[in-house]
Amino acid sequence: MFLSNGVKVMAKNRNKTDKKEETKGNVIILPEKTETAKEAEKRLPVKKGEASTPEKTNKTDGAANNNAITESVKSEKEERREETKSDFPELYALSTLLNEEVGKVKEDCLFSGIKKFTSRLGKVVVRYNVTDGELYKLAVNSETLGLKETAVSPAYIPAVAKALKKSERDMRVSALIDFPFGENSFAAKMAGLKESVKFGVDEATVFMPAILVGKDNKKIFIKQLKKISRAFRKNAGAAFNATELKEEDVKTVTKAAEKAGLAHLLFAFGDVSESEAEEKFSAILKNRSDKVKVKILCNVKSADAVSKLYKSGAECVLTPFADEIGAELIERFGIKSVKLL
Protein backbone atom coordinates (compact mmCIF):
# COMPACT_ATOMS: atom_id res chain seq x y z
CA MET A 1 0.00 0.00 0.00
CA PHE A 2 2.77 2.46 0.99
CA LEU A 3 4.76 1.65 -2.14
CA SER A 4 1.75 2.11 -4.31
CA ASN A 5 0.95 5.56 -2.85
CA GLY A 6 4.63 6.57 -3.06
CA VAL A 7 4.73 5.80 -6.76
CA LYS A 8 1.61 7.90 -7.32
CA VAL A 9 3.11 10.88 -5.49
CA MET A 10 6.37 10.69 -7.45
CA ALA A 11 4.47 10.51 -10.69
CA LYS A 12 2.40 13.60 -9.76
CA ASN A 13 5.49 15.63 -8.83
CA ARG A 14 7.28 14.57 -12.03
CA ASN A 15 4.30 15.55 -14.14
CA LYS A 16 4.27 19.01 -12.53
CA THR A 17 7.98 19.50 -13.23
CA ASP A 18 7.59 18.29 -16.81
CA LYS A 19 4.87 20.83 -17.42
CA LYS A 20 6.98 23.67 -15.99
CA GLU A 21 10.01 22.71 -18.16
CA GLU A 22 7.85 22.39 -21.26
CA THR A 23 6.41 25.90 -20.76
CA LYS A 24 9.87 27.46 -20.39
CA GLY A 25 10.93 25.81 -23.71
CA ASN A 26 14.37 25.01 -22.37
CA VAL A 27 13.99 21.23 -22.07
CA ILE A 28 12.05 18.91 -24.33
CA ILE A 29 10.75 15.83 -22.56
CA LEU A 30 9.85 12.96 -24.87
CA PRO A 31 6.78 11.05 -23.85
CA GLU A 32 7.34 7.61 -22.35
CA LYS A 33 7.26 4.66 -24.78
CA THR A 34 4.12 2.67 -24.79
CA GLU A 35 4.20 -1.09 -24.20
CA THR A 36 3.45 -1.62 -27.88
CA ALA A 37 6.45 0.50 -28.85
CA LYS A 38 8.70 -1.43 -26.48
CA GLU A 39 7.62 -4.77 -27.95
CA ALA A 40 8.21 -3.48 -31.47
CA GLU A 41 11.72 -2.31 -30.49
CA LYS A 42 12.60 -5.77 -29.22
CA ARG A 43 11.80 -7.19 -32.63
CA LEU A 44 14.10 -4.78 -34.44
CA PRO A 45 17.40 -6.30 -35.66
CA VAL A 46 20.51 -5.25 -33.74
CA LYS A 47 22.86 -3.20 -35.90
CA LYS A 48 26.44 -4.32 -36.35
CA GLY A 49 28.62 -2.92 -33.55
CA GLU A 50 25.69 -2.38 -31.18
CA ALA A 51 24.99 -4.53 -28.20
CA SER A 52 21.50 -5.57 -27.26
CA THR A 53 20.72 -5.37 -23.55
CA PRO A 54 18.09 -7.80 -22.37
CA GLU A 55 15.69 -6.52 -19.77
CA LYS A 56 15.94 -9.71 -17.79
CA THR A 57 18.53 -12.42 -17.28
CA ASN A 58 17.19 -15.89 -16.61
CA LYS A 59 18.08 -19.57 -16.80
CA THR A 60 17.59 -19.68 -20.55
CA ASP A 61 20.75 -17.58 -21.09
CA GLY A 62 22.99 -20.71 -20.90
CA ALA A 63 20.88 -22.50 -23.48
CA ALA A 64 21.00 -19.41 -25.68
CA ASN A 65 24.81 -19.36 -25.47
CA ASN A 66 24.97 -23.05 -26.38
CA ASN A 67 22.70 -22.41 -29.33
CA ALA A 68 24.96 -19.56 -30.42
CA ILE A 69 28.04 -21.85 -30.27
CA THR A 70 26.20 -24.54 -32.23
CA GLU A 71 25.20 -22.00 -34.86
CA SER A 72 28.83 -20.81 -35.05
CA VAL A 73 30.08 -24.37 -35.63
CA LYS A 74 27.41 -24.90 -38.27
CA SER A 75 28.47 -21.68 -39.93
CA GLU A 76 32.12 -22.79 -40.04
CA LYS A 77 31.10 -26.16 -41.53
CA GLU A 78 29.01 -24.40 -44.14
CA GLU A 79 31.97 -22.15 -45.00
CA ARG A 80 34.20 -25.21 -45.43
CA ARG A 81 31.56 -26.85 -47.60
CA GLU A 82 31.35 -23.71 -49.71
CA GLU A 83 35.16 -23.69 -50.10
CA THR A 84 35.07 -27.37 -51.09
CA LYS A 85 32.19 -26.65 -53.42
CA SER A 86 34.21 -24.00 -55.23
CA ASP A 87 37.63 -25.70 -55.15
CA PHE A 88 36.46 -29.31 -55.69
CA PRO A 89 33.00 -29.18 -57.29
CA GLU A 90 33.07 -32.85 -58.32
CA LEU A 91 33.93 -33.92 -54.78
CA TYR A 92 31.16 -31.78 -53.34
CA ALA A 93 28.66 -33.11 -55.87
CA LEU A 94 29.61 -36.68 -55.00
CA SER A 95 29.32 -36.03 -51.26
CA THR A 96 25.86 -34.56 -51.81
CA LEU A 97 24.85 -37.52 -53.96
CA LEU A 98 26.07 -40.04 -51.38
CA ASN A 99 24.87 -37.97 -48.41
CA GLU A 100 28.34 -38.30 -46.88
CA GLU A 101 30.77 -35.82 -45.31
CA VAL A 102 33.12 -34.30 -47.87
CA GLY A 103 36.16 -35.48 -45.86
CA LYS A 104 34.94 -39.09 -45.89
CA VAL A 105 34.25 -38.99 -49.61
CA LYS A 106 37.67 -37.46 -50.24
CA GLU A 107 39.34 -40.23 -48.22
CA ASP A 108 37.40 -42.92 -50.08
CA CYS A 109 38.33 -41.41 -53.44
CA LEU A 110 42.01 -41.29 -52.47
CA PHE A 111 41.96 -44.93 -51.39
CA SER A 112 40.20 -45.84 -54.63
CA GLY A 113 43.13 -44.24 -56.45
CA ILE A 114 45.61 -46.16 -54.31
CA LYS A 115 43.83 -49.41 -55.20
CA LYS A 116 44.30 -48.61 -58.88
CA PHE A 117 48.02 -48.56 -58.12
CA THR A 118 47.98 -51.77 -56.05
CA SER A 119 45.79 -53.58 -58.60
CA ARG A 120 48.98 -54.04 -60.62
CA LEU A 121 51.07 -54.94 -57.59
CA GLY A 122 51.65 -58.49 -56.37
CA LYS A 123 52.92 -60.00 -53.15
CA VAL A 124 55.50 -62.77 -53.43
CA VAL A 125 56.14 -65.29 -50.63
CA VAL A 126 58.96 -67.74 -51.20
CA ARG A 127 60.53 -67.99 -47.73
CA TYR A 128 60.36 -71.34 -46.03
CA ASN A 129 59.60 -70.10 -42.51
CA VAL A 130 56.28 -68.29 -42.97
CA THR A 131 53.87 -68.99 -40.10
CA ASP A 132 50.09 -69.55 -40.26
CA GLY A 133 49.62 -66.18 -38.57
CA GLU A 134 51.64 -64.42 -41.28
CA LEU A 135 49.61 -66.14 -43.98
CA TYR A 136 46.40 -64.98 -42.28
CA LYS A 137 47.67 -61.38 -42.33
CA LEU A 138 48.70 -61.90 -45.94
CA ALA A 139 45.16 -62.87 -46.90
CA VAL A 140 43.56 -59.91 -45.09
CA ASN A 141 46.03 -57.31 -46.37
CA SER A 142 45.98 -58.62 -49.94
CA GLU A 143 42.22 -58.22 -50.17
CA THR A 144 42.22 -54.86 -48.35
CA LEU A 145 44.79 -53.41 -50.76
CA GLY A 146 43.25 -55.13 -53.77
CA LEU A 147 46.55 -56.69 -54.85
CA LYS A 148 46.60 -58.19 -58.31
CA GLU A 149 47.92 -61.52 -57.05
CA THR A 150 49.79 -63.30 -54.31
CA ALA A 151 52.52 -65.57 -55.63
CA VAL A 152 53.69 -68.45 -53.43
CA SER A 153 55.78 -71.58 -53.65
CA PRO A 154 53.64 -74.71 -54.28
CA ALA A 155 54.69 -75.96 -50.82
CA TYR A 156 52.66 -73.11 -49.30
CA ILE A 157 49.47 -73.59 -51.29
CA PRO A 158 47.65 -75.85 -48.73
CA ALA A 159 48.51 -73.42 -45.90
CA VAL A 160 47.39 -70.45 -47.99
CA ALA A 161 44.09 -72.18 -48.73
CA LYS A 162 43.63 -72.72 -44.98
CA ALA A 163 44.41 -69.06 -44.24
CA LEU A 164 41.91 -67.91 -46.85
CA LYS A 165 39.19 -70.07 -45.34
CA LYS A 166 39.93 -68.81 -41.82
CA SER A 167 40.09 -65.15 -42.82
CA GLU A 168 37.07 -65.43 -45.14
CA ARG A 169 39.03 -63.43 -47.68
CA ASP A 170 39.29 -63.82 -51.42
CA MET A 171 42.56 -63.22 -53.23
CA ARG A 172 44.16 -64.28 -56.48
CA VAL A 173 46.78 -66.96 -55.83
CA SER A 174 49.52 -67.89 -58.28
CA ALA A 175 52.14 -70.60 -57.94
CA LEU A 176 55.86 -69.97 -58.53
CA ILE A 177 57.21 -73.36 -59.54
CA ASP A 178 60.90 -74.22 -59.21
CA PHE A 179 61.81 -70.75 -57.93
CA PRO A 180 64.32 -69.08 -58.36
CA PHE A 181 66.58 -70.65 -61.03
CA GLY A 182 64.51 -73.49 -62.50
CA GLU A 183 67.23 -76.05 -61.94
CA ASN A 184 64.98 -79.07 -61.30
CA SER A 185 64.19 -81.57 -64.04
CA PHE A 186 61.34 -80.79 -66.41
CA ALA A 187 59.42 -83.78 -65.04
CA ALA A 188 59.58 -82.27 -61.55
CA LYS A 189 58.40 -78.93 -62.92
CA MET A 190 55.39 -80.52 -64.58
CA ALA A 191 54.51 -82.45 -61.40
CA GLY A 192 54.56 -79.20 -59.42
CA LEU A 193 52.47 -77.47 -62.09
CA LYS A 194 49.80 -80.19 -62.19
CA GLU A 195 49.62 -80.33 -58.39
CA SER A 196 49.17 -76.56 -58.21
CA VAL A 197 46.37 -76.69 -60.79
CA LYS A 198 44.58 -79.35 -58.70
CA PHE A 199 44.74 -77.07 -55.67
CA GLY A 200 42.88 -74.47 -57.71
CA VAL A 201 45.45 -71.69 -58.18
CA ASP A 202 44.51 -68.84 -60.48
CA GLU A 203 47.85 -68.76 -62.29
CA ALA A 204 51.06 -70.77 -62.42
CA THR A 205 54.53 -69.70 -63.50
CA VAL A 206 57.31 -72.20 -64.15
CA PHE A 207 60.92 -71.05 -63.76
CA MET A 208 63.12 -72.19 -66.63
CA PRO A 209 66.95 -72.41 -66.72
CA ALA A 210 68.80 -69.86 -68.84
CA ILE A 211 70.80 -72.66 -70.50
CA LEU A 212 67.73 -73.70 -72.50
CA VAL A 213 67.59 -70.34 -74.25
CA GLY A 214 70.72 -71.13 -76.33
CA LYS A 215 70.45 -71.99 -80.04
CA ASP A 216 71.34 -75.64 -79.50
CA ASN A 217 68.35 -76.18 -77.21
CA LYS A 218 65.80 -74.12 -79.11
CA LYS A 219 63.58 -77.05 -80.19
CA ILE A 220 63.54 -78.60 -76.72
CA PHE A 221 62.84 -75.22 -75.20
CA ILE A 222 59.77 -74.50 -77.34
CA LYS A 223 58.47 -78.07 -76.83
CA GLN A 224 58.64 -77.68 -73.05
CA LEU A 225 56.90 -74.30 -73.14
CA LYS A 226 54.06 -75.81 -75.18
CA LYS A 227 53.61 -78.57 -72.59
CA ILE A 228 53.40 -75.97 -69.84
CA SER A 229 50.80 -74.04 -71.84
CA ARG A 230 48.64 -77.12 -72.45
CA ALA A 231 48.76 -78.12 -68.77
CA PHE A 232 47.14 -74.85 -67.70
CA ARG A 233 45.72 -73.08 -70.74
CA LYS A 234 45.46 -69.27 -70.64
CA ASN A 235 46.84 -69.11 -67.10
CA ALA A 236 50.33 -70.55 -67.47
CA GLY A 237 53.57 -68.65 -67.83
CA ALA A 238 57.32 -69.09 -67.86
CA ALA A 239 59.85 -67.27 -65.69
CA PHE A 240 63.52 -66.47 -66.16
CA ASN A 241 66.28 -64.97 -64.09
CA ALA A 242 66.69 -61.70 -65.97
CA THR A 243 70.24 -61.11 -64.74
CA GLU A 244 71.38 -64.17 -66.72
CA LEU A 245 69.77 -63.09 -70.00
CA LYS A 246 71.29 -60.98 -72.74
CA GLU A 247 69.17 -58.91 -75.11
CA GLU A 248 69.38 -61.60 -77.77
CA ASP A 249 68.16 -64.15 -75.21
CA VAL A 250 65.16 -61.93 -74.41
CA LYS A 251 64.19 -61.97 -78.09
CA THR A 252 64.37 -65.78 -78.15
CA VAL A 253 62.32 -66.14 -74.96
CA THR A 254 59.61 -63.73 -76.17
CA LYS A 255 59.18 -65.42 -79.56
CA ALA A 256 59.12 -68.90 -77.99
CA ALA A 257 56.52 -67.88 -75.40
CA GLU A 258 54.27 -66.39 -78.10
CA LYS A 259 54.63 -69.48 -80.27
CA ALA A 260 53.84 -71.79 -77.34
CA GLY A 261 50.71 -69.81 -76.41
CA LEU A 262 51.78 -68.79 -72.90
CA ALA A 263 49.75 -66.14 -71.10
CA HIS A 264 52.70 -64.31 -69.57
CA LEU A 265 56.44 -64.07 -69.06
CA LEU A 266 57.96 -63.30 -65.67
CA PHE A 267 61.42 -61.78 -65.40
CA ALA A 268 63.03 -62.05 -61.97
CA PHE A 269 65.68 -59.52 -61.00
CA GLY A 270 66.32 -60.34 -57.37
CA ASP A 271 68.67 -58.05 -55.44
CA VAL A 272 69.82 -55.74 -58.21
CA SER A 273 70.01 -51.96 -58.14
CA GLU A 274 67.16 -49.93 -59.59
CA SER A 275 69.39 -48.66 -62.39
CA GLU A 276 70.43 -52.20 -63.34
CA ALA A 277 66.82 -53.37 -63.26
CA GLU A 278 65.77 -50.47 -65.51
CA GLU A 279 68.57 -51.28 -67.98
CA LYS A 280 67.56 -54.94 -68.17
CA PHE A 281 63.90 -54.09 -68.37
CA SER A 282 64.45 -51.71 -71.27
CA ALA A 283 65.86 -54.67 -73.23
CA ILE A 284 62.76 -56.70 -72.35
CA LEU A 285 60.43 -53.92 -73.52
CA LYS A 286 62.20 -53.59 -76.87
CA ASN A 287 61.34 -57.17 -77.65
CA ARG A 288 57.99 -57.63 -75.93
CA SER A 289 54.98 -59.22 -77.63
CA ASP A 290 51.45 -57.84 -77.57
CA LYS A 291 50.16 -61.38 -77.05
CA VAL A 292 52.21 -62.14 -73.93
CA LYS A 293 51.95 -60.11 -70.72
CA VAL A 294 55.14 -59.01 -68.99
CA LYS A 295 55.59 -59.33 -65.23
CA ILE A 296 58.52 -58.25 -63.11
CA LEU A 297 59.70 -59.86 -59.87
CA CYS A 298 62.18 -57.82 -57.87
CA ASN A 299 62.80 -56.56 -54.34
CA VAL A 300 61.51 -53.02 -54.85
CA LYS A 301 60.58 -51.40 -51.54
CA SER A 302 58.96 -48.07 -52.45
CA ALA A 303 55.90 -46.92 -54.35
CA ASP A 304 58.03 -44.57 -56.47
CA ALA A 305 60.26 -47.45 -57.60
CA VAL A 306 57.20 -49.51 -58.55
CA SER A 307 55.77 -46.51 -60.41
CA LYS A 308 58.89 -46.32 -62.59
CA LEU A 309 58.40 -49.96 -63.61
CA TYR A 310 54.74 -49.30 -64.42
CA LYS A 311 55.68 -46.33 -66.57
CA SER A 312 58.26 -48.46 -68.35
CA GLY A 313 55.57 -50.97 -69.33
CA ALA A 314 55.39 -53.63 -66.61
CA GLU A 315 51.84 -54.98 -66.35
CA CYS A 316 52.47 -56.43 -62.91
CA VAL A 317 55.22 -56.01 -60.32
CA LEU A 318 55.75 -58.76 -57.76
CA THR A 319 57.67 -57.91 -54.60
CA PRO A 320 58.00 -59.28 -51.06
CA PHE A 321 57.32 -55.71 -49.85
CA ALA A 322 53.81 -55.22 -51.28
CA ASP A 323 52.27 -54.77 -47.80
CA GLU A 324 54.86 -52.17 -46.85
CA ILE A 325 54.30 -50.27 -50.10
CA GLY A 326 50.56 -50.29 -49.48
CA ALA A 327 51.08 -49.00 -45.93
CA GLU A 328 53.39 -46.27 -47.27
CA LEU A 329 50.67 -45.05 -49.65
CA ILE A 330 47.97 -45.13 -46.95
CA GLU A 331 50.14 -43.01 -44.66
CA ARG A 332 51.28 -40.65 -47.41
CA PHE A 333 47.72 -39.77 -48.43
CA GLY A 334 46.22 -39.76 -44.94
CA ILE A 335 43.78 -42.65 -45.31
CA LYS A 336 42.59 -43.06 -41.69
CA SER A 337 39.77 -45.51 -42.32
CA VAL A 338 41.99 -48.29 -43.73
CA LYS A 339 44.06 -50.46 -41.41
CA LEU A 340 46.44 -53.24 -42.40
CA LEU A 341 47.29 -56.12 -40.09
Side-chain angles (χ1 to χ4, degrees), residues 136-291:
Y136 176 84
K137 290 180 180 179
L138 171 72
V140 173
N141 291 346
S142 292
E143 187 187 50
T144 301
L145 290 170
L147 297 181
K148 182 175 179 62
E149 66 180 86
T150 302
V152 299
S153 166
Y156 275 121
I157 294 175
V160 168
K162 182 180 176 182
L164 288 173
K165 186 176 180 180
K166 182 181 177 182
S167 65
E168 298 183 343
R169 294 300 194 275
D170 183 26
M171 68 181 189
R172 188 174 180 83
V173 180
S174 62
L176 295 180
I177 298 160
D178 204 10
F179 176 87
F181 301 113
E183 294 175 339
N184 283 329
S185 67
F186 186 69
K189 297 178 197 295
M190 289 302 294
L193 174 59
K194 290 176 181 178
E195 186 179 16
S196 298
V197 172
K198 284 182 181 179
F199 273 120
V201 296
D202 298 290
E203 285 189 7
T205 307
V206 181
F207 276 80
M208 305 295 286
I211 193 173
L212 280 178
V213 182
K215 293 180 181 179
D216 296 338
N217 298 314
K218 189 175 180 179
K219 288 184 179 179
I220 297 173
F221 180 52
I222 294 176
K223 186 177 180 179
Q224 290 183 353
L225 293 186
K226 285 182 177 179
K227 285 186 178 181
I228 292 171
S229 179
R230 285 196 295 267
F232 198 19
R233 288 201 177 277
K234 294 185 179 180
N235 290 306
F240 298 87
N241 188 330
T243 56
E244 296 180 355
L245 299 179
K246 299 176 182 178
E247 186 170 345
E248 189 63 34
D249 296 331
V250 173
K251 287 182 184 179
T252 303
V253 166
T254 303
K255 288 180 181 178
E258 185 176 351
K259 192 171 183 179
L262 291 176
H264 64 270
L265 281 171
L266 174 63
F267 295 94
F269 289 90
D271 291 318
V272 297
S273 65
E274 286 186 23
S275 59
E276 187 179 352
E278 286 178 20
E279 183 182 345
K280 287 282 183 181
F281 191 51
S282 63
I284 293 167
L285 290 175
K286 286 179 185 177
N287 302 284
R288 66 180 303 173
S289 166
D290 293 334
K291 296 181 180 179

